Amino acid sequence: MEQRLMQHIPRDDIYLFNIGEARKAWLAFGCVYIPELQMHRFLVWAPNARSVTLVGDFNDWAWDATPMERVEGGVWAVFLDNVWDSQCYKYCIEGIDGRRFLKSDPFAAFAQNGIDNASLVWSEKAFPWTDTKYLRKRGAQDFEQTPMSIYEVHLGSWRNVEGGKTYGGLARALADYCVEMGYTHVELLPITEYPYDESWG
């Protein structure tokens, strides 16, 4: 791999991942856009693989078109400049026994769901927060003297709502339910996107 690309391989993060100390592995693994290169870096941990290739919409799902290179610590990498948001991709893993299979990206930023299970190229976009008024009101309360009743919920398996499961639809239904039941707080189990809506990961 070229030196200009190797300098964008997060060696320290790979080391921490391998010793079980990684705290922000999602910043290293998966599909990450590297602005300095104007390329996407794909990084996957497959220590026992004979080979790994990247397949997707950008190479017509040809299993051998985009080979990845083993870099270190059981990690495979490739850099591409011909991909864009919402393109589907998977890794083609060749195991020790020589069999090959397609695998979704365990660190994908976005994924298909339902019966489709490919990972999606997705760039981080800033979310426009609009909760300043609420945060000021919350900050003025004496939380140590206020009663609390927490409802813990997994959104993917909680309830079917009219129009399908969207965060907006679930938020309204969940708020109504919590008020009706007397809860003061909601604790969301991880809202990570999984290929199967009802999966807990």
Side-chain angles (χ1 to χ4, degrees), residues 134-147:
Y134 164 76
L135 290 174
R136 273 200 292 266
K137 179 182 171 187
R138 184 183 72 177
Q141 294 176 340
D142 182 0
F143 67 89
E144 292 182 349
Q145 301 300 319
T146 305

Side-chain angles (χ1 to χ4, degrees), residues 152-172:
E152 182 183 63
V153 62
H154 176 258
L155 291 179
S157 61
W158 178 60
R159 176 187 288 186
N160 288 323
V161 295
E162 191 174 325
K165 287 187 180 180
T166 64
Y167 289 128
L170 283 169
R172 288 182 287 280

